[in-house]
């Protein structure tokens, strides 16, 4: 498979909505209950990319998956921690798309100055747990029966990944916003500069 990874653009909004919809409508993967349309995905893309990367993986012009980072929490002291999510088009799982997306995303997050990444995984979800464990995430907590969807209560497991080692007592450098870093990504899928 010749997979290209590049920054997501507004023109990808319909594909993003299409990839995400099954997780909303048919699985407890997402706790949303109504699948966002292309206009809503475009608005989310604009909000996220004001600070953090959102990437797509495509092959032959078809978007097969995407991943993005977002703020872990609103309080200012959390700003070096992010949450991450990845979604792959139905029928295209287990081809390494999620791993390739995350590998590029994590390199970009390191270059931005992020220190920790966290992922919330609705259980059961062996595929997502496997992806995150393969990328180096470790379990950090569990929210038991935190969401009700599709006729049942679901736990959410939280996994964490150290993107860089924090220095004790030394404040980290300020983060580089994604728009400033995006301009230095010279070749799709390859962080450079």
């Amino acid at each position: 498979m010749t997979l290209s990874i590049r920054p997501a653009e507004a023109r990808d909004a319909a594909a993003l909505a299409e990839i995400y919809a099954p997780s909303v409508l048919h699985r407890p993967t997402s706790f949303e209950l109504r699948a966002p349309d292309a206009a809503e995905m475009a608005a989310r893309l604009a909000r996220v990319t004001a600070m953090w990367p959102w990437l797509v993986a495509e092959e032959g012009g078809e978007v097969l998956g995407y991943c993005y980072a977002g703020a872990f929490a609103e309080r200012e002291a959390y700003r070096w921690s992010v949450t991450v999510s990845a979604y792959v088009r139905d029928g295209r799982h287990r081809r390494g798309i999620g791993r390739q997306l995350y590998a590029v995303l994590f390199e970009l997050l390191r270059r931005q100055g992020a220190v920790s990444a966290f992922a919330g995984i609705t259980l059961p979800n062996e595929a997502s747990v496997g992806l995150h464990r393969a990328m180096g995430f470790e379990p950090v907590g569990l929210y038991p029966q935190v969401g009700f969807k599709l006729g049942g209560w679901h736990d959410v497991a939280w996994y964490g990944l150290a993107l860089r080692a924090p220095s004790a007592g030394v404040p980290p450098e300020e983060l580089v916003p994604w728009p400033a870093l995006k301009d230095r990504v010279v070749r799709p899928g390859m962080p450079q500069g």
Side-chain angles (χ1 to χ4, degrees), residues 83-142:
T83 60
V84 295
S85 295
Y87 292 89
V88 174
R89 187 178 293 282
D90 277 359
R92 301 301 182 105
H93 295 97
R94 306 200 63 79
R95 295 176 61 189
I97 296 168
R99 285 184 191 208
Q100 290 180 62
L101 280 163
Y102 265 172
V104 175
L105 179 67
F106 298 158
E107 177 58 28
L108 293 170
L109 291 171
R110 287 181 185 99
R111 290 179 51 200
Q112 283 187 272
V115 173
S116 300
F118 297 95
I121 303 171
T122 305
L123 300 178
N125 189 337
E126 290 181 27
S128 186
V129 169
L131 168 64
H132 288 87
R133 293 300 297 256
M135 298 304 298
F137 283 77
E138 295 292 334
V140 295
L142 178 75

Side-chain angles (χ1 to χ4, degrees), residues 16-77:
L16 300 176
E18 186 178 293
I19 291 167
Y20 184 51
S23 294
V24 175
L25 301 174
H26 308 298
R27 296 188 284 271
T29 311
S30 166
F31 278 0
E32 289 194 69
L33 300 178
R34 287 172 295 286
D37 62 12
E40 174 58 24
M41 290 303 276
R44 291 179 186 190
L45 177 63
R47 280 192 306 272
V48 167
T49 58
M51 183 62 195
W52 302 109
W54 189 318
L55 306 173
V56 297
E58 66 180 357
E59 180 181 52
E62 179 186 17
V63 176
L64 301 181
Y66 67 88
C67 70
Y68 62 93
F72 175 76
E74 290 183 27
R75 302 279 190 255
E76 195 172 359

